[in-house]
Amino acid sequence: GDSVTQMEGPVTLSEEAFLTINCTYTATGYPSLFWYVQYPGEGLQLLLKATKADDKGSNKGFEATYRKETTSFHLEKGSVQVSDSAVYFCASSNAAGNKLTFGGGTRVLVKP
Amino acid sequence: DAGITQSPRHKVTETGTPVTLRCHQTENHRYMYWYRQDPGHGLRLIHYSYGVKDTDKGEVSDGYSVSRSKTEDFLLTLESATSSQTSVYFCAISSGRGNEKLFFGSGTQLSVL
């Protein structure tokens, strides 16, 4: 079945540091890929997505590129802020696009 | 913010008792989902619904049942709660059109003692 693997956390960074969270997937066909973010005490919310190979999703300074050849969708941000402290989830969709498979989540803590 | 309300927000119950969690939406979205979130496992799909009275199992459906009698409400029932069902439960909705994002509720923290 489909699966998503992302690096385990926690990832602890200083403010203005560069952030990378690795994500790889296995799926039949060509799924859409997503990054969701969960702030403390809240539900998940969509951060960015990409629907086909070589697409780059971006939002709030975060970027991720859909790499079919490496089945990856790594999340990056060039300069993190304390407010970026959260749990980040990578996800892939099924062929119909109506179900998501999530990775285990990566907790990120940004210190001032 | 999408109109999704989960109730209760917190519940403590005893092993063997039935528990029902409610998800209510005001967006008239076709698809509704129940996920559980556990450390090291991320979010795992329990059940989902693609319309009134149309439901299907997810990857961790054992011990859970669902019902959807109205578009706006999706109920998750633990017939006889066990300690392994202690978790945070999230409801999510989507329009169901391909690759549309999910909107999540704020979650229900369930503790089974």
Side-chain angles (χ1 to χ4, degrees), chain A residues 14-82:
Chain A
S14 296
E15 210 165 18
E16 299 184 0
F18 184 86
L19 170 68
T20 298
I21 305 176
N22 291 339
C23 171
T24 57
Y25 67 92
T26 59
T28 52
Y30 302 102
S32 291
L33 302 173
F34 304 80
W35 277 100
Y36 280 80
V37 59
Q38 184 182 31
Y39 298 105
E42 300 182 7
L44 281 70
Q45 54 186 279
L46 181 67
L47 180 59
L48 54 84
K49 72 176 185 181
T51 58
K52 61 183 187 295
D54 299 324
D55 267 3
K56 178 185 285 187
S58 61
N59 186 26
K60 299 181 180 180
F62 290 89
E63 292 183 341
T65 301
Y66 191 140
R67 301 289 188 197
K68 186 179 68 172
E69 64 276 13
T70 55
T71 62
S72 65
F73 192 53
H74 305 321
L75 183 68
E76 298 181 336
K77 186 173 185 181
S79 177
V80 294
Q81 305 299 313
V82 172

Side-chain angles (χ1 to χ4, degrees), chain A residues 32 36 38 43 49 89 97-98, chain B residues 31 33 37 90 99 102 104-105:
Chain A
S32 291
Y36 280 80
Q38 184 182 31
K49 72 176 185 181
F89 292 90
N98 55 22
Chain B
Y31 280 77
Y33 308 81
Q37 182 180 21
F90 285 98
N99 305 312
L102 298 184
F104 282 83

Side-chain angles (χ1 to χ4, degrees), chain B residues 35-97:
Chain B
Y35 286 89
R36 60 178 289 175
Q37 182 180 21
D38 303 290
H41 292 280
L43 272 77
R44 292 179 291 175
L45 182 64
I46 305 171
H47 282 281
Y48 67 103
S49 169
Y50 44 93
V52 173
K53 298 185 179 178
D54 290 325
T55 65
D56 205 350
K57 296 179 180 180
E59 61 182 305
V60 289
S61 58
D62 288 348
Y64 301 94
S65 63
V66 290
S67 67
R68 191 166 179 202
S69 58
K70 298 184 292 184
T71 298
E72 57 266 36
D73 290 326
F74 192 34
L75 304 180
L76 176 70
T77 297
L78 291 65
E79 301 291 348
S80 178
T82 67
S83 59
S84 65
Q85 293 175 312
T86 292
S87 186
V88 180
Y89 291 85
F90 285 98
C91 175
I93 65 174
S94 82
S95 63
R97 295 188 297 272

